Amino acid sequence: ICQAENSVGRSDEERADVDILFAPTILSTAPLAELSVMVDSKTVLTCTAEGNPEPEYEWLQQLSSGQVRKRSYTADLVIEDVGYEDQGEYTCMASNSIGGERRQVQSDVVRLEVAGVPQVVKEGGQVTGVTGRDVRLEGQFCSDPMPLRNTWEWDGVVLPAGSEIDGRYKAELVAHPDMEDCYIS
């Protein structure tokens, strides 16, 4: 409010509104650094930022392969049915635009650990073999803790991983090269 006064009297008031624009800053993320969640449960990651104009949000998941997956465009990332593919490092990005220039800030990393029963992530599917040639069957699953036992079964035969029958059938279990706590059998 601006107003002037002298010995004769006082002026009318003049009002001015000031809108201060500023780049976003992250106020908080929850949880702070690490969260352990059971398979098939629900979890929420929350990001709070301030800025003017009001910031827009984006949750990013850093995959063990090095790729980045966009997971949410809201302040809260809600994962309804947690699976091993949700495990990893998450960051919140808050951004706004001032004078046509995009301003953004990134939160500290929140690590999501997933544990629970083994989950098949890729089934063997239909395989066709040719007489006299080798056939390879492959299944992929995730498990934390590591599985105590992994077997292939057919026609009453049980072949545990790490074993062989008649030099003809062989089962192996190896760590998945791109997915943490996941295996290929």
Side-chain angles (χ1 to χ4, degrees), residues 80-143:
E80 292 289 341
D81 190 18
V82 173
Y84 288 98
E85 69 278 4
D86 297 311
Q87 183 164 270
E89 295 183 343
Y90 290 80
T91 53
C92 170
M93 299 290 288
S95 63
N96 64 13
S97 184
I98 300 172
E101 184 179 328
R102 182 176 163 88
R103 312 283 177 102
Q104 67 182 23
V105 64
Q106 179 175 310
S107 72
D108 290 336
V109 170
V110 176
R111 173 107 183 122
L112 180 65
E113 292 286 340
V114 177
V117 299
Q119 261 189 343
V120 173
V121 292
K122 182 181 175 193
E123 296 181 24
Q126 182 72 31
V127 176
T128 303
V130 175
T131 303
R133 294 200 179 154
D134 288 344
V135 174
R136 180 179 178 92
L137 304 176
E138 188 176 281
Q140 297 180 19
F141 63 93
C142 300
S143 177

Side-chain angles (χ1 to χ4, degrees), residues 12 25 40-41 44 68 71-72 95 99 113 143 158 162 164-165 175:
D12 292 338
T25 57
D40 297 329
S41 65
V44 179
V68 175
R71 296 296 304 262
S72 174
S95 63
E113 292 286 340
S143 177
V158 177
E164 194 172 314
I165 297 176

Side-chain angles (χ1 to χ4, degrees), residues 5-39:
E5 185 176 339
N6 64 18
S7 61
V8 178
R10 183 182 302 172
S11 71
D12 292 338
E13 292 181 355
E14 181 64 34
R15 294 185 178 269
D17 291 321
V18 178
D19 189 17
I20 307 295
L21 304 179
F22 60 98
T25 57
I26 301 286
L27 299 177
S28 67
T29 54
L32 289 177
E34 189 168 320
L35 177 65
S36 294
V37 181
M38 294 299 291
V39 166

